[in-house]
């Protein structure tokens, strides 16, 4: 949600800012804008795409400094006036913002009393004016930013310049990501490292309550007391943050096809020479805890449902919570709970809210994330990275499989149970099989489903958890209403919805529940449903739609999730939808 880019120095700021905005568009946005100084502050912004923005800006821009922004509307409708960058009342402060200022109404009233008026409805415009107000009072911009940060409640990553200085970008951060890229004779700013990799592989990540000044050859960062902090520059792996489509038409299909290499890479990070390579302290803390609490949102929550089972297999009791539920009614079963949070982006606001509570209660915690340097990575007690490479498509695929794989490895590590490696290898053979042999068949099914209004997924146990994920993926990119139902729950209500022609997709890969699932198939067939069954060979029947080789059934989410992902992809494609950027959704959900 909301992407920030900024540049100061001799490289063409326009080239970087526009490339950067494109790179960040995976985060989701509805409007975009840029600002720079060339005989005064110039701002170009509008509702719509970055491509559209490019058509309204001057071809040649002579400026040493530029900021850009993609906005995902929170406060105020997506209109041209509400689009960032924002300019203060006295036209001195120009800035972009990612985050939400919770007390903006009080601050706005204060400023109105001081004679300020506003052209839009955003919280960002209020911050720009607050800086304007104190800057006029004291004439020291860094002092002003420090003071304003002390007044703001909520989250923010800010990139700012003033009308009287085209050599300095100012930055500030709390609970929204901001990274500085270090160049030779120029410096860059962005919401994450990906837009900057073409120009540098050295980065400084701001921590909460830090602010600073960035010029073309210097970066100075201060803490909330205004003391200078020495920040270590870190190097990032270009390969892992590259946004190259590598010849694929969409990121989603590219990322589905990267699942095998993702799983293999993950195994090599956490298991070598017949040994698990997790931090021994983490394993000790997990073993000593008497209850594991999984907290996550969306797809990551679905991975947590699976992970809970993995830990139960090794005699750990576990509960699973949706972050936005737990945050308002936190419970901590057990005397020594250990919290495992899961987040592809590492920036999900609902989870950051949970982390604050977890820290207040001094609870041991771990984040499983794909994003090194993210807020959760830096602030959790332990962090395990997924090493999946950047996931651009809004619909998470390879990161979900990586989350499940990592949870399987971690749980097995508690008991040094190395069989998990053979099981994962066998599951990967199934993934390859699906990639090489089943796509035409899945496309055919997608064509039959594309005009349907409702679709049901059925499964039990691990197949139910997979059904939840399959259903979420379908609805988010194809806009078809879909529900996942545990087979046994059908007759407790949902069966009332089954009517002639309704598609029901059934997973049967668990030997314990297979015969009950066959019973469920009969129940829906008798009521006219069109059933598509995905089964493992030893549990299959000739009439099934897809039969895959047998695998250790607890790995359904690794072995056959790609069937669900391809299906969602091909349905969305058949409907002519924007597969990688579904409406209303953002890759990184940085507001609650
Ligand atoms: C769906 C999807 C979302 C995310 C959710 C949490 O494909 O990607 O449901 O899983 O928004 O995001 P993270 O994992 O970044 O915390």
């Amino acid at each position: 949600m909301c992407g920030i880019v900024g540049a100061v120095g001799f490289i063409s700021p326009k080239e970087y800012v526009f490339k950067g905005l494109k790179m960040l568009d995976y985060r989701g946005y509805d409007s975009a804008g840029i600002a720079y100084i060339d005989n005064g502050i110039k701002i170009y912004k509008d509702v719509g795409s970055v491509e559209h923005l490019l058509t309204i800006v001057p071809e040649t821009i002579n400026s040493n400094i530029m900021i850009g922004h993609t906005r995902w509307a929170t406060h105020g409708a997506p209109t041209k006036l509400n689009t960032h960058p924002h300019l203060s009342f006295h036209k001195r402060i120009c800035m972009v913002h990612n985050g939400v200022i919770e007390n903006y109404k009080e601050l706005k009233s204060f400023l109105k009393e001081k004679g300020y008026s506003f052209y839009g409805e955003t919280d960002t415009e209020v911050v720009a004016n607050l800086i304007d107000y104190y800057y006029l009072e004291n004439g020291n911009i860094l002092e002003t930013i420090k003071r304003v940060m002390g007044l703001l409640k909520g989250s923010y990553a800010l990139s700012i310049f003033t009308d009287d200085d085209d050599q300095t970008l100012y930055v500030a951060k709390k609970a929204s990501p901001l990274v500085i890229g270090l160049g030779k004779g120029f410096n860059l700013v962005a919401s994450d490292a990906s837009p900057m990799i073409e120009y540098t592989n050295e980065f400084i990540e701001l921590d909460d309550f830090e602010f600073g000044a960035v010029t073309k050859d210097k970066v100075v960062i201060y803490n909330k007391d205004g003391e200078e902090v020495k920040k270590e520059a870190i190097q990032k792996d270009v390969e892992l943050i590259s946004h190259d489509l590598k010849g694929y038409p969409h990121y989603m299909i590219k990322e589905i096809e990267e699942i095998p290499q993702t799983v293999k890479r993950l195994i090599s990070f956490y298991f070598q020479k017949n040994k698990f390579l997790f931090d021994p302290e983490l394993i000790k803390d997990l073993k000593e805890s008497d209850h594991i609490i999984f907290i996550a949102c969306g797809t990551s929550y679905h991975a947590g449902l699976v992970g809970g089972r993995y830990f139960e297999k090794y005699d750990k009791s576990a509960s699973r919570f949706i972050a936005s539920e737990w945050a308002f009614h936190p419970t901590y079963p057990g005397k020594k709970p250990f919290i495992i949070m899961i987040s592809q982006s590492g920036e999900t606001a609902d989870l950051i809210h949970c982390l604050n509570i977890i820290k207040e209660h001094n609870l041991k915690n771990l984040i499983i994330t794909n994003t090194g340097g993210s807020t959760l990575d830096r602030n959790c007690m332990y962090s395990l990275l997924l090493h999946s490479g950047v996931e651009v498509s809004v619909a998470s695929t390879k990161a979900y499989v990586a989350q499940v794989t990592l949870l399987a490895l971690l749980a097995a590590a508690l008991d040094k149970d190395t069989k998990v490696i053979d099981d994962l290898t066998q599951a990967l053979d199934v993934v390859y099989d699906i990639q090489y042999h089943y796509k035409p068949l899945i496309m055919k099914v997608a064509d039959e489903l594309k005009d349907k209004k409702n679709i049901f997924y059925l499964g039990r146990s691990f197949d139910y958890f997979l059904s939840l994920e399959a259903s979420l993926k379908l609805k988010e990119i194809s806009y078809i209403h879909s529900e996942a139902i545990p087979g046994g729950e059908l007759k407790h209500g949902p069966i009332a919805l089954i009517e002639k022609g309704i598609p029901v997709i059934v997973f049967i890969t668990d030997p314990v529940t297979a015969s009950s699932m066959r019973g469920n198939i009969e129940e829906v067939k008798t009521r006219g449903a069109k059933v598509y069954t995905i089964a493992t060979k030893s549990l299959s029947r000739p009439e099934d739609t897809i039969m895959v080789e047998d695998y250790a059934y607890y790995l359904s989410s690794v072995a056959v999730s790609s069937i669900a992902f391809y299906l969602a992809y091909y349905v969305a494609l058949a409907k002519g939808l924007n597969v990688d950027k579904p409406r209303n959704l953002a890759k990184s959900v940085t507001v609650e």
Side-chain angles (χ1 to χ4, degrees):
M1 274 172 187
C2 296
I4 289 179
V5 284
V8 58
F10 71 77
I11 62 158
S12 159
K14 182 181 168 192
E15 176 199 298
Y16 164 68
V17 165
F18 273 91
K19 274 193 192 166
L21 289 176
K22 276 303 298 162
M23 294 284 267
L24 289 176
D25 75 359
Y26 74 93
R27 298 165 74 90
Y29 72 101
D30 39 52
S31 42
I34 60 158
Y36 56 92
I37 299 183
D38 181 10
N39 284 321
I41 295 177
K42 301 283 183 312
I43 298 181
Y44 291 88
K45 57 185 188 178
D46 206 354
V47 175
S49 66
V50 174
E51 286 82 359
H52 165 65
L53 179 66
L54 202 50
T55 65
I56 61 170
V57 303
E59 194 137 318
T60 315
I61 295 177
N62 292 316
S63 178
N64 192 49
I65 195 162
M66 190 180 282
I67 52 177
H69 191 265
T70 45
R71 174 172 188 250
W72 192 88
T74 54
H75 292 78
T79 61
K80 183 171 175 177
L81 280 183
N82 288 335
T83 302
H84 301 214
H86 285 289
L87 187 62
S88 67
F89 183 61
H90 294 106
K91 308 206 180 327
R92 303 208 59 194
I93 305 295
C94 184
M95 60 170 256
V96 290
H97 164 218
N98 172 18
V100 172
I101 304 302
E102 288 159 13
N103 58 338
Y104 81 104
K105 283 194 179 144
E106 293 96 285
L107 298 170
K108 196 169 186 175
S109 307
F110 164 80
L111 287 164
K112 278 184 174 168
E113 276 167 27
K114 302 288 177 193
Y116 279 72
S117 66
F118 295 82
Y119 52 76
E121 304 145 298
T122 66
D123 49 349
T124 308
E125 193 189 344
V126 176
V127 181
N129 280 308
L130 207 56
I131 297 174
D132 182 295
Y133 175 74
Y134 288 111
Y135 186 39
L136 277 180
E137 199 177 88
N138 70 21
N140 180 329
I141 188 69
L142 284 167
E143 196 50 43
T144 300
I145 292 172
K146 183 179 100 174
R147 182 159 186 188
V148 167
M149 286 171 76
L151 298 172
L152 301 180
K153 293 205 176 101
S155 55
Y156 50 83
L158 306 177
S159 183
I160 307 159
F161 62 72
T162 58
D163 67 334
D164 52 0
D165 180 0
D166 68 354
Q167 304 295 321
T168 317
L169 270 180
Y170 298 93
V171 290
K173 176 202 169 338
K174 185 196 156 204
S176 289
L178 200 64
V179 183
I180 299 168
L182 305 177
K184 291 209 170 22
F186 64 91
N187 283 310
L188 308 172
V189 168
S191 298
D192 66 43
S194 60
M196 303 187 269
I197 49 164
E198 201 180 320
Y199 306 91
T200 179
N201 69 343
E202 274 200 276
F203 303 96
I204 288 178
E205 286 164 344
L206 286 195
D207 284 309
D208 280 354
F209 301 108
E210 287 181 344
F211 64 102
V214 181
T215 59
K216 72 180 171 55
D217 29 41
K218 206 165 170 200
V219 175
V220 189
I221 304 295
Y222 304 91
N223 65 17
K224 68 170 184 284
D225 301 319
E227 294 153 350
E228 189 176 331
V229 278
K230 287 272 163 260
K231 305 280 293 182
E232 286 287 310
I234 50 164
Q235 301 220 330
K236 291 219 178 198
D237 185 337
V238 172
E239 161 74 8
L240 288 178
I241 49 183
S242 154
H243 278 205
D244 192 350
L245 263 172
K246 297 198 172 126
Y248 287 96
H250 301 99
Y251 287 105
M252 184 172 176
I253 184 90
K254 168 178 174 272
E255 288 158 7
I256 298 172
E257 308 238 317
E258 282 172 353
I259 287 172
Q261 80 187 67
T262 301
V263 172
K264 280 194 209 154
R265 191 188 297 134
L266 200 51
I267 296 174
S268 71
F269 265 101
Y270 295 107
F271 187 86
Q272 271 174 32
K273 299 194 179 138
N274 222 27
K275 274 206 179 84
F276 292 99
L277 302 177
F278 296 106
D279 176 353
E281 284 298 309
L282 166 64
I283 298 296
K284 183 166 160 276
D285 280 341
L286 282 167
K287 279 186 171 169
E288 284 176 4
S289 74
D290 59 356
H291 192 83
I292 314 279
I293 303 176
F294 289 86
I295 309 179
C297 310
T299 287
S300 299
Y301 170 71
H302 295 156
L305 293 176
V306 181
R309 280 287 176 82
Y310 293 167
F311 279 75
E312 284 163 348
K313 185 173 158 204
Y314 297 101
D315 292 333
K316 284 280 159 205
S317 68
S319 12
R320 305 87 169 148
F321 293 96
I322 290 170
S324 53
E325 291 289 314
W326 191 85
F328 295 98
H329 292 288
T331 54
Y332 328 94
K335 289 203 172 61
K336 271 182 123 181
F338 187 105
I339 319 278
I340 299 184
M341 284 164 281
I342 309 165
S343 172
Q344 183 282 129
S345 64
E347 297 293 349
T348 300
D350 294 316
L351 263 187
I352 293 171
H353 184 166
C354 295
L355 178 63
N356 292 336
I357 301 169
I358 290 162
K359 283 189 155 177
E360 266 166 39
H361 289 80
N362 252 328
L363 301 174
K364 300 211 161 158
N365 61 78
L366 158 73
I367 178 70
I368 291 178
T369 180
N370 197 29
T371 316
S374 59
T375 305
L376 287 159
D377 172 47
R378 280 180 290 123
N379 291 292
C380 286
M381 189 171 177
Y382 297 104
S383 175
L384 292 176
L385 295 181
L386 296 170
H387 300 289
S388 303
V390 72
E391 193 179 61
V392 176
S393 177
V394 165
S396 181
T397 54
K398 63 174 177 176
Y400 165 76
V401 176
Q403 289 166 345
V404 172
T405 304
L406 183 42
L407 286 162
L409 291 169
L410 185 61
L414 297 186
D415 208 27
K416 297 193 174 123
D417 183 358
T418 57
K419 184 171 177 299
V420 68
I421 306 299
D422 295 338
D423 291 348
L424 281 166
T425 311
Q426 191 189 30
L428 278 190
D429 288 341
V430 176
V431 180
Y432 281 122
D433 214 25
I434 294 164
Q435 268 188 22
Y436 297 138
H437 301 117
Y438 288 108
K439 280 191 282 185
L441 180 56
I442 298 170
M443 272 184 227
K444 195 172 150 281
V445 174
D447 204 54
E448 288 173 30
L449 298 185
K450 69 177 192 302
D451 298 319
K452 300 289 177 185
K453 295 275 172 284
N454 296 294
I455 295 179
F456 290 91
Y457 283 88
L458 289 186
R460 291 186 189 225
S461 180
F462 288 107
D463 289 339
Y464 168 58
F465 303 145
L466 173 59
S467 298
L468 285 169
E469 178 52 15
S471 166
L472 175 65
K473 211 94 304 171
L474 183 77
K475 75 179 81 153
E476 69 174 318
I477 63 166
S478 76
Y479 314 148
I480 295 176
H481 170 253
S482 149
E483 268 190 61
I485 300 163
E489 278 293 291
L490 250 189
K491 53 179 124 7
H492 298 290
I495 201 161
L497 294 169
I498 303 298
E499 57 189 12
K500 195 165 175 343
I502 201 156
V504 177
I505 301 167
V506 186
F507 290 101
I508 305 187
T509 73
D510 170 6
V512 181
T513 61
S515 77
S516 308
M517 285 310 302
R518 291 288 168 191
N520 293 137
I521 289 182
E522 287 316 309
E523 286 162 4
V524 295
K525 265 192 176 164
T526 337
R527 287 158 181 88
K530 170 88 174 96
V531 174
Y532 300 89
T533 304
I534 296 139
T536 38
K537 274 209 174 123
S538 61
L539 304 174
S540 68
R541 300 224 175 134
E543 69 272 21
D544 290 346
T545 317
I546 296 181
M547 285 161 254
V548 295
E549 292 299 332
D550 286 357
Y551 59 86
Y553 77 94
Y554 71 96
L555 290 176
S556 270
S557 290
V558 176
V560 290
S561 56
S562 47
I563 296 179
F565 298 154
Y566 283 125
L567 187 62
Y569 173 78
Y570 288 124
V571 172
L573 209 60
K575 292 182 78 171
L577 297 170
N578 189 340
V579 179
D580 285 332
K581 277 181 267 161
R583 68 184 179 205
N584 304 339
L585 295 177
K587 185 71 185 160
S588 192
V589 185
T590 52
V591 291
E592 281 189 62

